[in-house]
Amino acid sequence: AQSVTQPDIHITVSEGASLELRCNYSYGATPYLFWYVQSPGQGLQLLLKYFSGDTLVQGIKGFEAEFKRSQSSFNLRKPSVHWSDAAEYFCAVTPTQGGAQKLVFGQGTRLTINP
Amino acid sequence: EAEVAQSPRYKITEKSQAVAFWCDPISGHATLYWYRQILGQGPELLVQFQDESVVDDSQLPKDRFSAERLKGVDSTLKIQPAELGDSAMYLCASSFGRGPYNEQFFGPGTRLTVL
């Protein structure tokens, strides 16, 4: 079945430490790939997206993500987290084949930052 | 900076009552989306409009949910009657056009609690 999975429900890291959030997808053809962030009381904001080309994608707020076709993954990374990065992070995909070209979200990873 | 507006931000209702949510998209955005986000899950698309026309309502529970965008600008999502399982965050988003190349901008959401 087609799906997008975020294996980690909750991650805690110390301020200044590096971060990697995992995302895996299961689609016949590589879908379009997105990462969104949802801060308390705010709407989702697009961090970055991948359609094709360079597999390392740079986004806003110092985030980057790497597409690995062999692993069906699109992991989000940040070299050094700040307390303001505490939020919920969602990986999302849009299938490139079939009629339903809509965003399908993973269940999210909640990020907590220790001071 | 232009934003998607939603009201109310919070709504508490009793089951079997009717509720309505309002969304005002970013000016000039032809495509409008309503998502439902159950606690601990990612958003799920309920309905998508292109101007005033519905282009996808495959996940909308049509026996109790209705959505309209009469003049192709703002939109209303209604639930009648509300059930306990409808407790969730209802998010509105808009984009300039359809398809994955058009970034979706999200509003802050309406948190619904059904007692």
Side-chain angles (χ1 to χ4, degrees):
Chain A
Q2 296 180 333
S3 65
V4 54
T5 303
Q6 294 178 246
D8 304 304
I9 295 174
H10 184 203
I11 284 183
T12 300
V13 298
S14 297
E15 190 168 16
S18 64
L19 171 70
E20 182 169 26
L21 302 181
R22 296 184 291 164
C23 174
N24 296 97
Y25 61 88
S26 176
Y27 284 80
T30 300
Y32 302 119
L33 299 160
F34 307 82
W35 275 100
Y36 283 82
V37 61
Q38 186 176 34
S39 299
Q42 300 183 24
L44 284 89
Q45 182 181 24
L46 180 65
L47 287 174
L48 46 76
K49 57 185 180 284
Y50 174 79
F51 294 150
S52 65
D54 192 347
T55 57
L56 187 62
V57 180
Q58 300 299 317
I60 63 172
K61 302 177 186 273
F63 285 92
E64 66 179 25
E66 185 172 14
F67 166 63
K68 292 186 177 180
R69 184 187 306 275
S70 62
Q71 298 178 20
S72 297
S73 69
F74 188 56
N75 294 349
L76 182 72
R77 302 194 296 241
K78 187 169 185 178
S80 176
V81 298
H82 185 262
W83 64 266
S84 61
D85 293 324
E88 188 95 19
Y89 291 81
F90 292 93
C91 180
V93 307
T94 294
T96 55
Q97 294 181 350
Q101 284 216 321
K102 59 186 180 183
L103 273 175
V104 178
F105 288 85
Q107 73 267 39
T109 297
R110 183 161 61 95
L111 175 64
T112 299
I113 307 295
N114 280 337
Chain B
E1 183 175 310
E3 295 180 341
V4 176
Q6 290 189 247
S7 67
R9 293 291 303 275
Y10 303 91
K11 179 69 178 180
I12 300 174
T13 191
E14 295 184 344
K15 63 180 182 179
S16 79
Q17 296 298 304
V19 292
F21 314 130
W22 177 79
C23 172
D24 191 13
I26 293 172
S27 178
H29 281 194
T31 310
L32 185 146
Y33 314 79
W34 283 102
Y35 290 85
R36 177 172 59 186
Q37 184 179 16
I38 296 171
L39 189 64
Q41 299 182 21
E44 177 190 31
L45 181 68
L46 291 176
V47 60
Q48 177 182 345
F49 289 91
Q50 181 66 24
D51 299 309
E52 67 276 6
S53 300
V54 173
V55 297
D56 186 349
D57 63 357
S58 57
Q59 299 304 310
L60 188 70
K62 299 180 187 63
D63 57 335
R64 298 184 300 108
F65 286 64
S66 64
E68 61 183 17
R69 194 184 184 199
L70 294 177
K71 297 182 179 179
V73 181
D74 58 338
S75 175
T76 301
L77 178 69
K78 298 179 181 177
I79 308 175
Q80 183 173 16
E83 297 181 352
L84 296 177
D86 297 331
S87 294
M89 178 77 84
Y90 290 84
L91 298 167
C92 180
S94 69
S95 62
F96 184 75
R98 295 174 62 183
Y101 295 97
N102 291 279
E103 179 178 348
Q104 294 185 30
F105 294 84
F106 286 79
T110 296
R111 182 169 295 283
L112 172 67
T113 301
V114 182
L115 302 177

